[in-house]
Amino acid sequence: MEQQQPPISDYGFLSDSRSGALVGKDGSVDWWCPDRFDGSSVFARLLDPGAGHFQLAPVGVGGQGYRVERAYLPDTLVLRTVHHTPHGSVAVVDALAAEVGARAHELGKNSPAVLIRVVQGLSGRVRMALDFAPRPEYGLLTPYLHEQPDGGVLAGAGPIVLMLRAGGLHLRAGTDRVTHEFEVSAGQVIGIDVAFGEAYGDAPARVDPLATLAETTQAWQAFRETHGYSGRYPDLVKHSSTVLTGLTYARSGAVAAALTSSLPEQIGGDRNYDYRYSWLRDFSLTMRALWVAACPDETSRLFAWATRSIGRFGDEPVPVLFGLEGERDISEHHCSHLLGYRGSRPVRVGNDAWRQRQLDVPGEVMSAVWRLRDYLGATFEGELCEMVLGLTEQVASTWRLPDRGIWETRGEERHYVSSKVACWLAMDRAVGLADRLGDRADPRRWAKIRDEIRDTVLREGWNERIGAFTGAFGSPELDASVLALPVTHFLPATDPRMRSTIAMVERELGTEGGLLRRWTTDPAGFLLCSFWLVECLVMTGEQQRAEALFERVAGYSNDVGLFSEQIDLSSGMQLGNTPQALSHIGLINAAWRITRPDSY
C-alpha cells in the first residue's frame, strides 16, 4: 500500500558534519542518525510512518489560511521556516549544533550531537504543537520516557538516550511519546533541544539552545568566509559547496554520497539503495568540485582518507565505496519491518556494491592524484607511492575484464565503455606521474597499455550503425555515461564521433524539460548526466545553449536549493536519495566549465 509521505522536495537539510537531519515543511524532523551519517536512526518516518519523528509546528498545520516560507540563514545550513496562520506568524529555526567556539575548518570535528529548534513569535498569538516520538534503530525500539526535574524528558532504549528540553515548558511523558501544546506571542522566543547520548557512555550534552544556535550560525559563516569562488553562478555554486561540506564527515574528511538510505529511483520500485557511504568513483568529480569552490583543506583531507582506506593491495579489486572511517565490509541487509518511502521496498542498510568489480575506480583516484600532484611533492613516497603503483598495476592486469559499470548494475558483468575509458585515464595519469614514483615506475609499458586501451575503445565502443559510442562493447543501447569521454579528455568534444554521440544522446535520452536519462528505459532524469551534457555543449562551442540548459536543470532544486538524485519525468518530483552529492557536484563543475571552457 502506498504511503503518502511528503514529497522528497519538502525536506530541508541540517548538518553538523557528523550527522544530518531532514525537516519537512510541516515542521517534522523525519530523519536523523545522530551518531554519524551512516549510523542508526532515531527518527525515520521518511521510510515508515511509525519509525519516529519530532514535529514542531502550529496546531492545524496545513489547514485553510496556512502557508509556509523558508530559507537558510546566509552561508549556513541553519534553516528558518516561517509558518503563517490565520492567528499570526511564527518562525522555527532548526540546526544541528556545532561545538562551542568552532570556527572554519573545526566545524564538525567535535560536534555535540544536539538538534536545536528555536521558536520565534513574529505576529499575533499562535498555538504550537510539539510531538516527540523517537524510535531508535530504524523503528525497532520504542524507548522508555522519564520526566526530569527540570521539565525535560529522557528517552532511553537499547544503546542510546535522547534528552528533550523545551525552555521553560514543563513536558509530560506519555506512554510512547511526548506531546505538548503551548502559545507563542509576537517577540517571544523559546529554545528547544534534543541531545543524543550513549546508554553506556557519554551522557547527552547540555546546551543553551539560543546561544548554541548563534554559535552554530557563526561557525558556518566563518567556514564559508574561508572559501572563495570567482566564476559564473556564484550563489548556486557557493550553496552547493555548503551542501557538500554538510555531507562531509569531518572526523575523516570522507564525503557521503547522500544523507539518506532507500529513497527510490521510482515510486514502488526496488532500486532503493543506501547512499550514506563514500564512493571512490565520485572521488575525482568531488575533488574537482571542491577545488573549483576553493576548498583546498577539504580536498587534502579527502585525499588522505582515500589513501588510508584503500590500504595495501591484494588480488581483490579496490572497492568502489567505503564506510566514512574507511570500513570496507558494509554488507547489505533489508529492514523488512519498514514499509519504505510511499511503499517502495526493500529498505536497505549497507550496500553490497562494495563487493562488485568496477574497473573505473582506479582511474577516478588517479585523476584526483593528478589534480593534486603539485601539492603532493616532486617525489611520492610511502603509502602514496604504494597506492599509485598498486592502482596502476591493477589496471594493467585487469582492464580487459568485464565489470558492473558506473551505474552498479546487479546483473551480468559487461565491457562498459565508461569503465574502459577510466582505465585509459588511470594509465595516462600514471605515465604523467612516473617521474615521481621512483625506480619501479615503468612509463614505457604503461604508455603502451594506455594506447591499447584507447584503440580498443575507439574500435569496440563505436557503433557505426547507431553513429555513436554506446554503453557497452557490441551494444546498440545508448548510455549517458559516454559523455564522460570529452569531460575526461579521452576525445575532444569537437571530434566528429563525439559530436555525433553528444547529438544522439541528447536526442534519444533528452526530455522536453531539459533533463537527460541514463538510458532509454530509465524512467527519470538523472541530474548529474544533465550537468555533464552542459559541459559537453560548452566544449563543442555551444555556450548559449549550455547556459540555457544549465539554468533549466538548476531550476529542479527545491525551494531551499537542494537536489536529490533524479527527477520524475511526468510529475517533476524529486526521486532518489537526498541531498545527493553528485547532483551538487555536477552543478559546480558545469558552472565552472561555463566560466572556463578550457578547464581541465
Side-chain angles (χ1 to χ4, degrees):
M1 176 180 176
E2 183 175 290
Q3 302 298 314
Q4 289 303 318
Q5 283 126 315
I8 293 168
S9 58
D10 269 17
Y11 289 102
F13 171 45
L14 311 177
S15 173
D16 56 10
S17 287
R18 164 181 174 164
S19 66
L22 293 180
V23 56
K25 289 181 178 179
D26 62 357
S28 184
V29 177
D30 288 348
W31 184 258
W32 188 31
C33 304
D35 190 35
R36 54 186 254 181
F37 291 112
D38 54 353
S40 183
S41 70
V42 295
F43 304 133
R45 183 155 74 172
L46 182 71
L47 298 177
D48 188 295
H53 65 277
F54 176 21
Q55 189 165 17
L56 180 64
V59 172
V61 61
Q64 188 173 4
Y66 173 89
R67 65 183 177 87
V68 168
E69 56 182 342
R70 58 184 184 167
Y72 285 110
L73 301 189
D75 296 326
T76 76
L77 290 180
V78 176
L79 184 65
R80 183 174 186 265
T81 303
V82 178
H83 302 268
H84 298 284
T85 79
H87 307 289
S89 297
V90 62
V92 178
V93 184
D94 291 318
L96 289 178
E99 181 186 14
V100 174
R103 293 294 182 270
H105 297 287
E106 299 170 358
L107 182 68
K109 291 183 179 178
N110 295 290
S111 64
V114 178
L115 172 65
I116 303 292
R117 314 199 73 181
V118 172
V119 181
Q120 304 168 335
L122 302 179
S123 66
R125 190 170 181 84
V126 180
R127 189 160 187 82
M128 299 289 291
L130 178 155
D131 182 8
F132 175 72
R135 298 292 183 266
E137 293 202 29
Y138 307 103
L140 285 174
L141 298 176
T142 300
Y144 290 103
L145 302 176
H146 304 280
E147 296 177 8
Q148 304 297 298
D150 64 358
V153 174
L154 180 71
I160 71 101
V161 291
L162 295 172
M163 177 64 78
L164 169 67
R165 296 186 178 93
L169 305 178
H170 193 85
L171 303 176
R172 297 294 184 185
T175 303
D176 64 352
R177 68 205 311 133
V178 176
T179 59
H180 186 82
E181 292 189 6
F182 59 98
E183 290 190 339
V184 180
S185 300
Q188 188 175 3
V189 178
I190 298 174
I192 299 171
D193 69 278
V194 180
F196 165 79
E198 299 171 348
Y200 306 103
D202 294 337
R206 184 165 194 136
V207 303
D208 177 338
L210 274 63
T212 302
L213 179 65
E215 284 279 346
T216 300
T217 302
Q218 291 173 31
W220 276 107
Q221 291 173 340
F223 185 84
R224 288 264 52 89
E225 287 171 3
T226 65
H227 300 69
Y229 171 75
S230 57
R232 297 283 304 278
Y233 307 107
D235 292 343
L236 293 175
V237 169
K238 289 176 182 178
H239 182 59
S240 283
S241 66
T242 300
V243 173
L244 289 183
T245 301
L247 289 170
T248 299
Y249 182 67
R251 293 181 183 179
S252 67
V255 177
L259 177 65
T260 58
S261 174
S262 300
L263 291 182
E265 295 180 11
Q266 183 177 10
I267 300 298
D270 62 359
R271 289 181 58 87
N272 320 314
Y273 300 119
D274 192 346
Y275 277 16
R276 298 173 297 158
Y277 308 104
S278 195
W279 265 252
L280 289 182
R281 167 177 303 112
D282 305 347
F283 195 60
S284 65
L285 293 172
T286 306
M287 295 286 277
R288 181 181 168 213
L290 291 174
W291 196 258
V292 165
C295 308
D297 286 355
E298 286 90 325
T299 58
S300 299
R301 295 187 67 236
L302 177 58
F303 187 80
W305 167 84
T307 304
R308 184 179 182 88
S309 298
I310 290 171
R312 287 193 175 275
F313 285 83
D315 295 331
E316 293 297 314
V318 177
V320 68
L321 70 154
F322 293 89
L324 299 178
E325 293 184 358
E327 300 89 346
R328 183 167 292 216
D329 186 345
I330 47 176
S331 296
E332 182 178 299
H333 69 274
H334 294 180
C335 295
S336 57
H337 64 288
L338 294 178
L339 295 175
Y341 178 79
R342 298 196 176 187
S344 304
R345 303 177 74 182
V347 172
R348 294 177 167 96
V349 170
N351 195 311
D352 276 344
W354 76 272
R355 305 176 188 272
Q356 295 182 356
R357 176 167 57 229
Q358 297 183 13
L359 297 178
D360 63 304
V361 174
E364 303 293 352
V365 178
M366 293 290 286
S367 180
V369 175
W370 179 259
R371 186 170 295 278
L372 283 181
R373 64 193 182 280
D374 291 338
Y375 295 84
L376 296 172
T379 301
F380 291 178
E381 298 177 348
E383 293 176 0
L384 173 60
C385 185
E386 292 298 322
M387 182 188 75
V388 172
L389 288 169
L391 289 171
T392 303
E393 293 301 337
Q394 187 169 100
V395 172
S397 63
T398 62
W399 73 268
R400 294 180 179 84
L401 298 174
D403 75 335
R404 298 293 176 85
I406 72 168
W407 308 129
E408 297 175 3
T409 60
R410 299 201 172 187
E412 64 176 350
E413 293 182 335
R414 303 176 70 186
H415 293 280
Y416 288 100
V417 170
S418 58
S419 296
K420 305 302 185 190
V421 169
C423 291
W424 168 86
L425 182 65
M427 302 309 297
D428 183 70
R429 299 301 182 258
V431 171
L433 295 168
D435 61 350
R436 304 170 191 238
L437 298 172
D439 294 340
R440 286 186 289 164
D442 194 353
R444 183 171 297 180
R445 178 171 60 89
W446 296 345
K448 183 178 180 181
I449 295 169
R450 174 198 62 191
D451 295 344
E452 185 181 356
I453 296 171
R454 187 175 191 276
D455 291 343
T456 302
V457 171
L458 294 178
R459 182 180 65 252
E460 303 293 338
W462 174 258
N463 188 304
E464 187 66 38
R465 184 177 64 83
I466 301 295
F469 289 100
T470 55
F473 289 178
S475 171
E477 297 298 324
L478 291 171
D479 189 314
S481 64
V482 299
L483 296 181
L485 273 66
V487 173
T488 59
H489 293 261
F490 178 85
L491 266 184
T494 53
D495 181 284
R497 292 162 295 184
M498 204 63 240
R499 280 189 180 277
S500 177
T501 298
I502 294 169
M504 183 67 70
V505 166
E506 186 176 14
R507 182 167 64 249
E508 298 298 324
L509 302 183
T511 69
E512 290 183 3
L515 295 166
L516 201 67
R517 298 170 295 159
R518 286 172 291 179
W519 49 77
T520 55
T521 58
D522 197 351
F526 202 85
L527 287 160
L528 175 64
C529 296
S530 305
F531 285 123
W532 276 348
L533 180 58
V534 171
E535 291 201 59
C536 288
L537 292 176
V538 173
M539 289 186 284
T540 59
E542 300 178 81
Q543 185 82 8
Q544 289 186 338
R545 278 223 303 140
E547 292 175 9
L549 178 60
F550 177 91
E551 292 164 13
R552 290 185 75 182
V553 176
Y556 285 100
S557 69
N558 73 355
D559 61 315
V560 289
L562 299 177
F563 291 107
S564 65
E565 184 178 38
Q566 300 183 77
I567 302 295
D568 182 82
L569 298 180
S570 58
S571 66
M573 71 179 291
Q574 294 192 357
L575 293 172
N577 287 305
T578 195
Q580 176 77 205
L582 273 182
S583 298
H584 288 276
I585 288 165
L587 181 146
I588 293 170
N589 290 338
W592 186 242
R593 183 73 69 182
I594 289 171
T595 303
R596 293 277 303 275
D598 59 344
S599 60
Y600 200 74

